[in-house]
Every structure is written in structure tokens, then in C-alpha cells.
Amino acid sequence: MLLDPRAPRFAAAVTTVVLAAALITGAVPVLLAQAAVFALTAANPRLGPYALAWRVLVAPRLDPPTELEPAAPVRFAQLVGLLFTLLALAGQLTGAPVLALVATGAALAAAFLNVAFDLCLGCEAYLALRRVTGRPVTARVPVGP
């Protein structure tokens, strides 16, 4: 499965706002909602709620993408985001506010890097793991002529 690379970047923008709200408010329901989004998107990047919003609200107003990217790195990045969000939830629910703040802040920083600099840390980690195991994956491929 190949994805328009702008869709995960849009999702990262929404995630940045959600995680900033979670960091500021410490609201457990906000973290739970984002964890659910990460889990759904990790299962299938096209079915995540931010991807659906992208396809319905944003993509129809743009030109077609000039390149596509494989879904596997995006799925891995979503799993990493889920892990950090679950750590943040564990911190909130067990009375460990430092764990909650650090985990939320780390996930927020990663989402922001994707939005601001088109640098997906989880995707890069996935691609590095594939190279180390001798099974490299092309990061992006141009769309046909």
C-alpha cells in the first residue's frame, strides 16, 4: 500500500495540536483519544480518523501527489506514537506526572518535527531497522509520468 506523504504530515499537524492540549491540560480523555487514533492508524493508515479527514476535506482541494510512500514506515511510526501515549497515560493514571509530561512531550516533539521539517522520526527508525536487517525499503517513489 502506498500513501500520499502529505496525508501523514496533515495527521501529524492534528496530532501536534491534540498532544499540545494534552500536555497543557493533563487531560486523560485527550490522551485516550489520541491513543485510539494511533492504534487505528497503525492498523491501517487509510482508516485513521485524521486520514479520513485528509481525504474528505483537504485532498480534493489539492493537486495529485507527485510521489508516494510505503505505508509500513507510517504504521511503525504510529505504533511508536501509541507507545509514548500509553506511557503518558500510565504516568497520569499512576500519579507519575514526570513520566506523563516526558512521554507526552516526546510524542509532541516527534509530531512537530514531522509537520515543521517533514522529518518522521518513527519512519526513519523503521527505514534504519530495515537497512540494518538487510531488507531496505524505498522511502518514497515518484508517481508515474
Side-chain angles (χ1 to χ4, degrees):
M1 171 184 345
L2 294 174
L3 305 172
D4 179 342
R6 299 172 299 179
R9 200 165 180 193
F10 170 80
V14 178
T15 300
T16 297
V17 172
V18 171
L19 290 174
L23 190 63
I24 292 166
T25 65
V28 170
V30 175
L31 285 172
L32 280 170
Q34 185 58 51
V37 169
F38 279 139
L40 284 169
T41 307
N44 185 338
R46 291 181 186 264
L47 296 182
Y50 304 157
L52 292 173
W54 164 263
R55 281 200 311 280
V56 171
L57 301 173
V58 180
R61 293 168 173 72
L62 301 175
D63 289 333
T66 58
E67 59 185 8
L68 299 174
E69 66 183 2
V74 174
R75 293 179 67 207
F76 183 82
Q78 294 297 302
L79 286 173
V80 172
L82 176 60
L83 174 67
F84 276 93
T85 307
L86 292 175
L87 284 172
L89 280 166
Q92 288 283 29
L93 297 174
T94 62
V98 172
L99 174 61
L101 289 171
V102 169
T104 305
L108 172 59
F112 178 77
L113 284 172
N114 195 344
V115 174
F117 303 106
D118 197 18
L119 175 61
C120 174
L121 293 178
C123 299
E124 292 300 325
Y126 176 85
L127 295 171
L129 285 170
R130 292 291 297 222
R131 282 190 297 272
V132 167
T133 60
R135 301 178 328 191
V137 174
T138 303
R140 291 193 178 164
V141 295
V143 175

